[in-house]
């Protein structure tokens, strides 16, 4: 309990400091620390799957994304800042936010006891999916539709980021050009880590069926293993016009939908798996989806194609 | 035997914690980025190493022990890469110091 | 008080902090960051709900846990989109 | 038969996903191939719902709620599915001139982006219409936001990028607040299925706070005054085809979700005071939005402010429904009136934006004062604008008239006559700004209209078709409107 209190206190202080920070770089650094503390909180809440996702995506990829944005904005003329609200307005907003937080806190205390839960039905139906990890069971069977739609959302986000390409940059290499670092610490990390990272990602994907882990965590690690050499200037992303790149990010959702529709034809319900086939089908979907999501997540971090980099 | 192992674990982890606290104090109290980094990386790596060492006898089998060692190795590798980068950034920002 | 409740209260406070930042900060990048603070708070409240629903041998209700997982990925996609838009706007500014 | 709503969602999702690797030209052809199938699906769903007088239920993966996710297509879904399919189809055909790719031509950015975004938008709205699970609806909301945001800034100019960023901030705040409500509702009731929630929720603090934050979030997305600030620049700056979709359909997506919350989840717990506040905001939006449109000098901004005003009408149904819970003639009128308003506004506003786009392309600007000569050079376009305007004003016989008349009589029947005054006043103001445009267009203009961009009959035809539908809705027999009553949760015993 004391450990939890300390954790909560640290989390709130870091969040507050990040929100109030004067410099964007400081704010982002604190935000990454916030993400790591949040990861610990997820472990304390017995949500190891969420903790891994938070560490990989919430703190890791988001942190890289925001840090990269800070660096790029620092070299560019900063946009004229909007007029900040005056002191009276700020106070009013603060009071409103405090009131919402207080109401929310009160409501958390007022939630019904014993808490309504779907843990029992999940436990009762998990054997039908041949999976050992209940979270994977929910993601891939009971609420597989959400996962499917989410993979479509990630793909759509890539389309949106590409759609922001400035005039003349269409079809080019995504992201800002990274300075090449032949040696130095980053180059070392970019060479040494990916083989290990790929093994770890595969492991996390494979155990995800029965233990904490799964496609999102694995995909985030794989994405990082691509981003690292990219940031070190060792690899150049393929141009967005590349057909194979587009197929890679689309194939995961396509296979997922195809298997779902096959379930509708054979079993009479979309995303229903034939008895005995649940686990192999889920593993097939997870493997292909991991590849698609990993590339899509990396492309989201890499960003919009630049006119300067067209080749 | 188990008593001995337990005592070893407790001692090693406690010693590791002492180094962590020392490192954190350094991070908070030292005046400039370079010495902060110094305190953080040196002390924390030793601290983490001690904790890993203390937990090794309790690991589930060989692959559990390997995983613990891998964690230590990965932390060493990543901070070896990140430390110089932060130092360089700090020097670029304040060339006077 | 259970630790689930404690983290739920922390989530409530984070919602307040994030919302305030989103409304008061003017730098669009910091607004996006505050959106993520706010999102973290919302997920934490959800996580407290999940932890309260522990049962049937699970440490938490797996349904909300899976929902949080999905939500995290969607929130990341939203962040990436917003950052891309801010960067694009800044480069448009440059060319003026 | 149960599969139809699922297919109505998955067809555009699959097409959207496949459109990315196919490239701009392939995506365009795929979209055009999918359109008739989607339209047929939605019409069949509507016919089935009307004939069986019962909603279509479908459990995904055979998992029944609360563990699984259900689709539920009721009368409201059916009516909006057909509306969405028609508007999307018309806009897609209209947009071919702007976003088409000739054989052998290199891929353009706008062309590559437009088709997947259009398909994603269609998928998102269909999902919002048939999903019965609050978190699936959240994913639908995000899908809608992601699809709509790049449409706002498709031309890539600074002004539209700023409008898009402002829109995105509102939308993200809206969805995160919605998600907070989802967490609280799950904590209070242990399910996210709307039908189950209707039986489980009570007026407890967690549920009330959840509904409050979700409503606030959805209002930001629906652009109800005072959260409308993002809408005019975003909708006016987009290309005409995108504006039409944004104004006609996107704001309706979050509105439908609001209806699901208030008259689905909370059907057993009426909140009359809060409903009065919502309608008060709606009434203010009608009056202020119309006045802003009346004073606007740019045609596309005028149409955008008209959307702000017309959204206001949608919220008038809330107190009329909340005042008389259970089976009642007045509640049924208010419900039908609100839904018909959403449908007829979708057709009318899409037609109006397309017409405005044709005029702006022809003149090279959209300054209202300088539209002289339009009546001679493009009579069909001006006629389209006029017909759409009639429906927005609520002049009989038109869809807008049917909607406003139903709301009016429900207001008087419920003893809340003040809303009736707002409806009448709003109609007069609408007449004012539509007349301004027509009067300017019918003047024998000073400057000759440039003939540089020939308007094809197809573009005019699509716009005119939508306007004609919005008027023709007024000729439907009243019994046809019974469709939207099917499966309404607050009327169920």
């Amino acid at each position: 309990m004391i450990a939890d209190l300390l954790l909560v206190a640290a989390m709130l202080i870091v969040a507050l400091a990040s929100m109030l920070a004067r410099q964007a770089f400081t704010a982002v650094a604190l935000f990454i620390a916030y993400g790591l503390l949040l990861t610990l909180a997820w472990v304390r809440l017995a949500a190891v799957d969420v903790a891994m996702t938070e560490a990989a995506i919430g703190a890791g990829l988001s942190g890289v994304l925001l840090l990269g944005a800070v660096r790029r904005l620092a070299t560019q003329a900063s946009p004229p800042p909007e007029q900040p609200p005056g002191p009276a307005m700020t106070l009013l907003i603060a009071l409103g936010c405090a009131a919402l937080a207080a109401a929310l806190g009160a409501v958390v205390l007022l939630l019904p006891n014993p808490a309504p839960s779907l843990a029992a039905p999940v436990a009762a139906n998990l054997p039908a999916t041949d999976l050992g990890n209940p979270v994977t069971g929910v993601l891939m069977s009971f609420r597989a539709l959400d996962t499917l739609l989410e993979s479509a959302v990630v793909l759509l986000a890539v389309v949106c980021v590409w759609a922001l390409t400035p005039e003349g940059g269409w079809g080019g290499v995504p992201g800002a050009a990274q300075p090449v670092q032949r040696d130095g610490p980053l180059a070392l990390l970019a060479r040494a880590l990916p083989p290990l990272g790929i093994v770890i990602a595969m492991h996390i994907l494979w155990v995800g069926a029965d233990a904490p882990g799964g496609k999102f965590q694995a995909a985030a690690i794989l994405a990082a293993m691509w981003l690292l050499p990219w940031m070190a200037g060792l690899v150049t992303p393929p141009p967005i016009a590349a057909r194979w790149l587009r197929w890679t990010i689309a194939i995961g959702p396509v296979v997922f939908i195809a298997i779902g529709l096959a379930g509708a034809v054979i079993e009479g319900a979309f995303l229903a798996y034939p008895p005995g086939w649940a686990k192999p089908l889920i593993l097939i979907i997870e493997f292909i989806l991991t590849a698609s999501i990993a590339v899509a997540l990396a492309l989201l971090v890499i960003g919009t194609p630049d006119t300067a980099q067209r080749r | 035997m188990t008593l001995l192992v337990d005592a070893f674990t407790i001692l090693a982890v406690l010693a590791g914690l002492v180094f962590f606290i020392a490192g954190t104090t350094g991070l908070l109290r030292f005046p400039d980025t370079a010495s902060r980094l110094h305190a953080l990386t040196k002390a924390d790596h030793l601290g983490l190493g001690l904790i890993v060492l203390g937990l090794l006898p309790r690991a589930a089998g060989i692959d559990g022990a390997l995983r613990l060692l891998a964690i230590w190795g990965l932390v060493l590798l990543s901070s070896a890469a990140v430390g110089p980068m932060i130092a360089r950034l700090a020097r670029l920002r304040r060339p006077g110091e | 008080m259970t630790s689930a409740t404690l983290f739920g209260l922390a989530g409530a406070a984070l919602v307040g902090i994030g919302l305030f930042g989103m409304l008061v900060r003017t730098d669009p990048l910091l607004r996006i960051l505050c959106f993520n603070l706010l999102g973290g708070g919302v997920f934490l409240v959800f996580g407290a709900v999940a932890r309260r629903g522990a049962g049937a041998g699970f440490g938490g209700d797996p349904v909300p846990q899976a929902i949080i997982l999905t939500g995290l990925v969607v929130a990341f996609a939203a962040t990436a989109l917003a950052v891309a838009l801010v960067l694009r706007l800044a480069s448009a500014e440059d060319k003026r | 038969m149960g599969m139809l709503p699922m297919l109505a969602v998955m067809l555009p999702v699959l097409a959207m996903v496949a459109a990315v690797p196919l490239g701009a030209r392939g995506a365009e052809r795929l979209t055009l191939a999918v359109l008739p199938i989607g339209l047929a699906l939605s019409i069949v769903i509507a016919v089935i719902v009307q004939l069986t007088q019962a909603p279509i239920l479908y459990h995904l993966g055979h998992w029944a709620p609360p563990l699984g996710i259900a689709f539920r297509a009721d009368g409201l879904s059916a009516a909006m599915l057909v509306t969405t399919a028609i508007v999307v189809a018309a806009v897609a055909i209209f947009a071919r001139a702007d976003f088409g790719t000739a054989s052998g031509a290199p891929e353009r950015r706008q062309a590559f982006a437009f088709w997947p975004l259009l398909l994603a938008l269609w998928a998102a709205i269909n999902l919002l219409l048939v999903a019965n699970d609050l978190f699936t609806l959240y994913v639908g909301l995000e899908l809608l936001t992601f699809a709509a945001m790049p449409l706002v800034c498709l031309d890539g100019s600074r002004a539209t990028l700023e409008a898009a960023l402002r829109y995105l901030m509102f939308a993200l705040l809206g969805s995160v607040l919605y998600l907070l409500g989802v967490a609280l509702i799950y904590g209070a009731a242990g399910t996210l299925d709307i039908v189950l929630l209707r039986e489980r929720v009570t007026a407890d603090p967690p549920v009330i706070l959840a509904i409050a934050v979700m409503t606030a979030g959805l209002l930001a997305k629906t652009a109800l005054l005072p959260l409308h600030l993002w809408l005019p620049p975003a909708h006016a700056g987009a290309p005409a085809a995108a504006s039409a979709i944004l104004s006609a359909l996107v704001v309706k997506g979050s509105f439908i979700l609001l209806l699901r919350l208030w008259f689905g989840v909370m059907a057993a717990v009426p909140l009359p005071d809060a409903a009065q506040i919502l309608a008060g905001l709606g009434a203010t939006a009608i009056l202020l939005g119309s006045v802003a449109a009346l004073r606007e000098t740019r045609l596309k901004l005028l149409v955008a402010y008209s959307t702000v005003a017309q959204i206001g009408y949608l919220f008038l149904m809330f107190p009329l429904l909340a005042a008389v819970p259970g089976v009642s003639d007045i509640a049924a009128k208010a419900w039908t009136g609100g839904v018909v308003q959403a449908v007829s506004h979708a057709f009318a506003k899409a037609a109006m934006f397309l017409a405005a786009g044709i005029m702006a392309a022809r003149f090279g600007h959209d300054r209202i004062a300088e539209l002289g000569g339009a009546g001679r050079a493009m009579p069909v376009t001006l006629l389209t604008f006029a017909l759409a305007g009639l429906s927005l004003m609520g002049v009989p016989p038109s869809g807008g008239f049917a909607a406003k008349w139903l709301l009016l009589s429900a207001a008087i029947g419920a003893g809340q006559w003040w809303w009736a005054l707002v409806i009448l006043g709003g109609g007069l103001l609408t007449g004012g700004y539509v007349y301004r445009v027509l009067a300017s267009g019918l003047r024998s203009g000073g400057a000759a209209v440039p003939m540089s961009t020939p308007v094809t009959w197809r573009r005019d035809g699509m716009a005119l078709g939508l306007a004609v539908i919005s008027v023709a809705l007024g000729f439907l027999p009243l019994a046809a409107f019974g469709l939207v009553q099917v499966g309404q949760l607050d009327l169920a015993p």
Side-chain angles (χ1 to χ4, degrees), chain C residues 19 22 32 38 42-43 46 49 61 64 67 74 78 81-82 85 88-89 93 96, chain D residues 135 142 146 149 156 158 161 165 168-169 172-173 176 179-180 183 186-187 192:
Chain C
L19 185 61
M22 246 189 123
I32 297 168
L38 170 55
V42 171
F43 289 130
F46 218 158
V49 165
D61 186 345
I67 288 176
V74 174
L81 196 54
L85 187 53
R88 174 76 176 84
L89 195 58
E93 210 95 32
R96 247 194 327 181
Chain D
F135 184 71
E142 290 293 52
F146 286 16
M149 188 283 279
R158 233 181 72 81
L161 286 167
L165 185 61
L168 189 63
M169 286 299 167
L172 291 183
L173 188 58
V176 83
L179 189 63
L180 180 60
Y186 189 89
L192 293 173

Short mmCIF file of all heavy atoms in Angstrom, two decimals, chain C residues 19 22 32 38 42-43 46 49 61 64 67 74 78 81-82 85 88-89 93 96, chain D residues 135 142 146 149 156 158 161 165 168-169 172-173 176 179-180 183 186-187 192:
data_model
loop_
_atom_site.label_atom_id
_atom_site.label_comp_id
_atom_site.label_asym_id
_atom_site.label_seq_id
_atom_site.Cartn_x
_atom_site.Cartn_y
_atom_site.Cartn_z
N LEU C 19 -6.83 17.64 -18.64
CA LEU C 19 -7.85 18.50 -19.24
C LEU C 19 -7.45 19.96 -19.10
O LEU C 19 -7.55 20.76 -20.04
CB LEU C 19 -9.20 18.23 -18.56
CG LEU C 19 -10.39 18.97 -19.15
CD1 LEU C 19 -10.58 18.57 -20.60
CD2 LEU C 19 -11.66 18.70 -18.37
N MET C 22 -4.83 20.74 -21.58
CA MET C 22 -5.34 20.81 -22.94
C MET C 22 -6.05 22.13 -23.20
O MET C 22 -6.05 22.65 -24.32
CB MET C 22 -6.32 19.66 -23.18
CG MET C 22 -5.81 18.67 -24.21
SD MET C 22 -7.07 17.48 -24.63
CE MET C 22 -7.15 17.72 -26.40
N ILE C 32 -1.10 18.24 -27.33
CA ILE C 32 -1.16 16.81 -27.66
C ILE C 32 -0.64 16.00 -26.48
O ILE C 32 -1.20 14.97 -26.11
CB ILE C 32 -0.34 16.54 -28.93
CG1 ILE C 32 -0.95 17.27 -30.11
CG2 ILE C 32 -0.27 15.05 -29.20
CD1 ILE C 32 -0.05 17.28 -31.33
N LEU C 38 -4.21 13.13 -20.13
CA LEU C 38 -5.64 12.92 -19.90
C LEU C 38 -6.03 11.49 -20.24
O LEU C 38 -6.73 10.82 -19.47
CB LEU C 38 -6.42 13.93 -20.74
CG LEU C 38 -7.93 13.81 -20.89
CD1 LEU C 38 -8.60 13.78 -19.53
CD2 LEU C 38 -8.48 14.99 -21.67
N VAL C 42 -7.76 8.49 -17.95
CA VAL C 42 -8.98 7.75 -18.30
C VAL C 42 -8.70 6.24 -18.26
O VAL C 42 -9.49 5.46 -17.70
CB VAL C 42 -9.48 8.17 -19.69
CG1 VAL C 42 -10.59 7.25 -20.16
CG2 VAL C 42 -9.96 9.60 -19.67
N PHE C 43 -7.57 5.84 -18.85
CA PHE C 43 -7.25 4.41 -18.86
C PHE C 43 -7.05 3.90 -17.43
O PHE C 43 -7.42 2.77 -17.11
CB PHE C 43 -6.00 4.16 -19.70
CG PHE C 43 -6.22 4.33 -21.17
CD1 PHE C 43 -5.38 5.10 -21.93
CD2 PHE C 43 -7.30 3.71 -21.79
CE1 PHE C 43 -5.60 5.27 -23.29
CE2 PHE C 43 -7.53 3.87 -23.14
CZ PHE C 43 -6.68 4.65 -23.90
N PHE C 46 -10.25 3.23 -15.87
CA PHE C 46 -10.76 1.97 -16.43
C PHE C 46 -10.01 0.79 -15.80
O PHE C 46 -10.59 -0.27 -15.49
CB PHE C 46 -10.58 1.97 -17.95
CG PHE C 46 -11.70 1.33 -18.70
CD1 PHE C 46 -11.93 1.64 -20.04
CD2 PHE C 46 -12.55 0.42 -18.08
CE1 PHE C 46 -12.97 1.07 -20.74
CE2 PHE C 46 -13.60 -0.16 -18.79
CZ PHE C 46 -13.80 0.17 -20.11
N VAL C 49 -11.36 -0.03 -12.53
CA VAL C 49 -12.60 -0.80 -12.71
C VAL C 49 -12.27 -2.27 -12.99
O VAL C 49 -12.88 -3.19 -12.43
CB VAL C 49 -13.43 -0.19 -13.86
CG1 VAL C 49 -14.51 -1.15 -14.32
CG2 VAL C 49 -14.02 1.13 -13.44
N ASP C 61 -10.54 -8.06 -14.26
CA ASP C 61 -11.51 -8.42 -15.28
C ASP C 61 -10.85 -8.31 -16.66
O ASP C 61 -10.41 -7.22 -17.04
CB ASP C 61 -12.70 -7.47 -15.16
CG ASP C 61 -13.84 -7.85 -16.08
OD1 ASP C 61 -13.61 -8.67 -16.99
OD2 ASP C 61 -14.96 -7.34 -15.87
N PRO C 64 -12.31 -5.38 -19.59
CA PRO C 64 -11.79 -4.01 -19.64
C PRO C 64 -10.30 -3.95 -19.91
O PRO C 64 -9.84 -3.01 -20.56
CB PRO C 64 -12.13 -3.44 -18.26
CG PRO C 64 -12.59 -4.57 -17.44
CD PRO C 64 -13.02 -5.65 -18.35
N ILE C 67 -9.94 -3.98 -23.49
CA ILE C 67 -10.43 -2.72 -24.05
C ILE C 67 -9.39 -1.62 -23.89
O ILE C 67 -9.14 -0.82 -24.80
CB ILE C 67 -11.77 -2.33 -23.39
CG1 ILE C 67 -12.87 -3.27 -23.88
CG2 ILE C 67 -12.12 -0.89 -23.66
CD1 ILE C 67 -14.20 -3.05 -23.23
N VAL C 74 -5.20 2.88 -30.22
CA VAL C 74 -5.94 3.93 -30.92
C VAL C 74 -5.45 5.31 -30.49
O VAL C 74 -5.27 6.21 -31.32
CB VAL C 74 -7.46 3.78 -30.66
CG1 VAL C 74 -8.22 4.94 -31.26
CG2 VAL C 74 -7.96 2.48 -31.24
N ALA C 78 -3.90 8.34 -32.77
CA ALA C 78 -4.40 9.72 -32.74
C ALA C 78 -3.27 10.69 -32.49
O ALA C 78 -3.19 11.75 -33.11
CB ALA C 78 -5.48 9.85 -31.67
N LEU C 81 -1.16 11.14 -35.57
CA LEU C 81 -1.87 11.96 -36.55
C LEU C 81 -1.77 13.44 -36.19
O LEU C 81 -1.48 14.29 -37.04
CB LEU C 81 -3.33 11.50 -36.52
CG LEU C 81 -4.22 11.89 -37.64
CD1 LEU C 81 -3.58 11.47 -38.93
CD2 LEU C 81 -5.55 11.19 -37.47
N ALA C 82 -2.00 13.73 -34.90
CA ALA C 82 -1.96 15.13 -34.46
C ALA C 82 -0.56 15.69 -34.62
O ALA C 82 -0.38 16.83 -35.08
CB ALA C 82 -2.42 15.23 -33.01
N LEU C 85 0.18 16.51 -38.17
CA LEU C 85 -0.51 17.73 -38.58
C LEU C 85 0.22 18.97 -38.08
O LEU C 85 0.38 19.96 -38.81
CB LEU C 85 -1.95 17.69 -38.07
CG LEU C 85 -2.90 18.78 -38.53
CD1 LEU C 85 -2.90 18.88 -40.04
CD2 LEU C 85 -4.31 18.49 -38.03
N ARG C 88 3.35 19.47 -40.13
CA ARG C 88 2.99 19.96 -41.48
C ARG C 88 2.64 21.43 -41.43
O ARG C 88 3.06 22.21 -42.29
CB ARG C 88 1.82 19.14 -42.00
CG ARG C 88 1.24 19.61 -43.30
CD ARG C 88 2.11 19.22 -44.48
NE ARG C 88 1.47 19.61 -45.73
CZ ARG C 88 1.57 20.83 -46.25
NH1 ARG C 88 2.30 21.76 -45.64
NH2 ARG C 88 0.95 21.13 -47.37
N LEU C 89 1.92 21.83 -40.41
CA LEU C 89 1.53 23.23 -40.26
C LEU C 89 2.77 24.10 -40.06
O LEU C 89 2.89 25.18 -40.63
CB LEU C 89 0.58 23.36 -39.08
CG LEU C 89 -0.21 24.65 -38.96
CD1 LEU C 89 -1.04 24.86 -40.21
CD2 LEU C 89 -1.14 24.58 -37.75
N GLU C 93 4.26 27.12 -42.34
CA GLU C 93 4.60 28.42 -41.76
C GLU C 93 5.94 28.90 -42.29
O GLU C 93 6.14 30.05 -42.59
CB GLU C 93 4.69 28.24 -40.24
CG GLU C 93 4.34 29.46 -39.48
CD GLU C 93 2.89 29.41 -39.08
OE1 GLU C 93 2.36 28.32 -38.84
OE2 GLU C 93 2.29 30.47 -39.01
N ARG C 96 6.11 30.57 -45.73
CA ARG C 96 5.42 31.82 -45.98
C ARG C 96 6.35 32.94 -46.32
O ARG C 96 7.36 33.12 -45.66
CB ARG C 96 4.60 32.20 -44.75
CG ARG C 96 3.15 32.13 -45.10
CD ARG C 96 2.31 32.79 -44.08
NE ARG C 96 2.88 32.67 -42.74
CZ ARG C 96 2.26 33.18 -41.67
NH1 ARG C 96 1.14 33.79 -41.80
NH2 ARG C 96 2.79 33.06 -40.48
N PHE D 135 -18.15 0.45 -26.50
CA PHE D 135 -16.74 0.59 -26.89
C PHE D 135 -16.56 0.43 -28.40
O PHE D 135 -15.75 1.13 -29.00
CB PHE D 135 -15.84 -0.38 -26.14
CG PHE D 135 -14.38 -0.17 -26.45
CD1 PHE D 135 -13.72 0.95 -25.98
CD2 PHE D 135 -13.69 -1.05 -27.27
CE1 PHE D 135 -12.39 1.19 -26.29
CE2 PHE D 135 -12.36 -0.82 -27.58
CZ PHE D 135 -11.71 0.29 -27.10
N GLU D 142 -13.67 7.11 -33.50
CA GLU D 142 -12.29 7.43 -33.86
C GLU D 142 -12.08 7.23 -35.36
O GLU D 142 -11.42 8.02 -36.01
CB GLU D 142 -11.31 6.56 -33.06
CG GLU D 142 -11.26 6.91 -31.60
CD GLU D 142 -10.68 8.30 -31.32
OE1 GLU D 142 -11.17 9.26 -31.91
OE2 GLU D 142 -9.77 8.40 -30.49
N PHE D 146 -10.72 10.15 -37.78
CA PHE D 146 -9.52 9.99 -38.60
C PHE D 146 -9.86 10.17 -40.07
O PHE D 146 -9.05 10.66 -40.84
CB PHE D 146 -8.91 8.60 -38.39
CG PHE D 146 -8.20 8.43 -37.07
CD1 PHE D 146 -8.40 9.33 -36.05
CD2 PHE D 146 -7.34 7.38 -36.86
CE1 PHE D 146 -7.75 9.18 -34.84
CE2 PHE D 146 -6.69 7.22 -35.65
CZ PHE D 146 -6.90 8.12 -34.64
N MET D 149 -10.77 14.21 -40.62
CA MET D 149 -9.75 15.23 -40.44
C MET D 149 -8.98 15.53 -41.73
O MET D 149 -8.88 16.70 -42.13
CB MET D 149 -8.82 14.82 -39.30
CG MET D 149 -7.84 15.87 -38.87
SD MET D 149 -6.45 16.06 -39.97
CE MET D 149 -5.40 14.73 -39.48
N GLY D 156 -4.44 21.26 -48.63
CA GLY D 156 -3.11 21.50 -48.10
C GLY D 156 -2.75 22.95 -47.85
O GLY D 156 -1.60 23.24 -47.57
N ARG D 158 -2.60 26.58 -45.80
CA ARG D 158 -2.37 26.86 -44.40
C ARG D 158 -3.68 26.99 -43.62
O ARG D 158 -3.84 26.45 -42.52
CB ARG D 158 -1.57 28.14 -44.26
CG ARG D 158 -0.34 28.03 -43.43
CD ARG D 158 0.32 29.40 -43.38
NE ARG D 158 -0.47 30.29 -42.55
CZ ARG D 158 -0.39 30.28 -41.23
NH1 ARG D 158 0.43 29.48 -40.62
NH2 ARG D 158 -1.12 31.11 -40.52
N LEU D 161 -5.23 23.69 -42.99
CA LEU D 161 -4.47 22.90 -42.01
C LEU D 161 -4.79 23.38 -40.59
O LEU D 161 -4.95 22.58 -39.66
CB LEU D 161 -2.97 23.03 -42.28
CG LEU D 161 -2.45 22.27 -43.49
CD1 LEU D 161 -1.03 22.72 -43.82
CD2 LEU D 161 -2.46 20.77 -43.24
N LEU D 165 -6.48 21.22 -37.62
CA LEU D 165 -5.89 21.02 -36.29
C LEU D 165 -6.90 21.37 -35.21
O LEU D 165 -7.04 20.66 -34.21
CB LEU D 165 -4.63 21.88 -36.15
CG LEU D 165 -3.87 21.67 -34.84
CD1 LEU D 165 -3.39 20.24 -34.72
CD2 LEU D 165 -2.68 22.62 -34.74
N LEU D 168 -9.36 18.62 -35.04
CA LEU D 168 -8.81 17.41 -34.43
C LEU D 168 -8.76 17.55 -32.92
O LEU D 168 -9.08 16.60 -32.18
CB LEU D 168 -7.41 17.16 -35.00
CG LEU D 168 -6.79 15.82 -34.60
CD1 LEU D 168 -7.61 14.68 -35.15
CD2 LEU D 168 -5.36 15.71 -35.11
N MET D 169 -8.39 18.73 -32.43
CA MET D 169 -8.32 18.93 -30.98
C MET D 169 -9.70 18.76 -30.34
O MET D 169 -9.85 18.08 -29.32
CB MET D 169 -7.77 20.32 -30.65
CG MET D 169 -6.28 20.44 -30.90
SD MET D 169 -5.36 19.29 -29.86
CE MET D 169 -3.77 19.34 -30.60
N LEU D 172 -10.60 14.97 -30.58
CA LEU D 172 -9.87 14.10 -29.66
C LEU D 172 -10.36 14.29 -28.23
O LEU D 172 -10.56 13.32 -27.49
CB LEU D 172 -8.37 14.37 -29.73
CG LEU D 172 -7.68 13.95 -31.02
CD1 LEU D 172 -6.19 14.20 -30.93
CD2 LEU D 172 -7.94 12.49 -31.32
N LEU D 173 -10.57 15.55 -27.85
CA LEU D 173 -11.10 15.81 -26.51
C LEU D 173 -12.47 15.14 -26.37
O LEU D 173 -12.77 14.50 -25.36
CB LEU D 173 -11.21 17.33 -26.29
CG LEU D 173 -11.57 17.76 -24.88
CD1 LEU D 173 -10.55 17.23 -23.90
CD2 LEU D 173 -11.64 19.27 -24.78
N VAL D 176 -12.06 11.30 -25.96
CA VAL D 176 -11.49 10.84 -24.70
C VAL D 176 -12.51 11.01 -23.57
O VAL D 176 -12.60 10.17 -22.67
CB VAL D 176 -10.13 11.53 -24.42
CG1 VAL D 176 -10.27 12.87 -23.81
CG2 VAL D 176 -9.27 10.66 -23.55
N LEU D 179 -14.79 8.13 -23.83
CA LEU D 179 -14.18 6.91 -23.32
C LEU D 179 -14.23 6.87 -21.79
O LEU D 179 -14.43 5.82 -21.19
CB LEU D 179 -12.73 6.80 -23.82
CG LEU D 179 -12.04 5.48 -23.54
CD1 LEU D 179 -12.75 4.36 -24.27
CD2 LEU D 179 -10.59 5.52 -23.97
N LEU D 180 -14.05 8.04 -21.17
CA LEU D 180 -14.15 8.11 -19.71
C LEU D 180 -15.54 7.63 -19.26
O LEU D 180 -15.67 6.85 -18.31
CB LEU D 180 -13.90 9.56 -19.26
CG LEU D 180 -13.98 9.84 -17.77
CD1 LEU D 180 -12.95 9.02 -17.02
CD2 LEU D 180 -13.75 11.32 -17.49
N ALA D 183 -15.80 3.89 -19.38
CA ALA D 183 -15.17 3.25 -18.23
C ALA D 183 -16.12 3.26 -17.03
O ALA D 183 -16.30 2.24 -16.35
CB ALA D 183 -13.86 3.96 -17.89
N TYR D 186 -19.08 0.88 -17.50
CA TYR D 186 -18.70 -0.51 -17.28
C TYR D 186 -18.53 -0.78 -15.80
O TYR D 186 -18.96 -1.81 -15.28
CB TYR D 186 -17.41 -0.85 -18.04
CG TYR D 186 -17.11 -2.33 -18.00
CD1 TYR D 186 -17.62 -3.17 -18.96
CD2 TYR D 186 -16.37 -2.88 -16.96
CE1 TYR D 186 -17.39 -4.53 -18.91
CE2 TYR D 186 -16.13 -4.25 -16.90
CZ TYR D 186 -16.64 -5.06 -17.88
OH TYR D 186 -16.42 -6.41 -17.82
N GLY D 187 -17.90 0.16 -15.09
CA GLY D 187 -17.72 -0.02 -13.65
C GLY D 187 -19.03 -0.11 -12.90
O GLY D 187 -19.14 -0.82 -11.89
N LEU D 192 -21.37 -3.32 -21.69
CA LEU D 192 -21.39 -2.14 -22.54
C LEU D 192 -22.47 -2.29 -23.62
O LEU D 192 -22.56 -1.46 -24.51
CB LEU D 192 -20.01 -1.94 -23.19
CG LEU D 192 -18.90 -1.58 -22.19
CD1 LEU D 192 -17.54 -1.58 -22.86
CD2 LEU D 192 -19.17 -0.23 -21.56
#
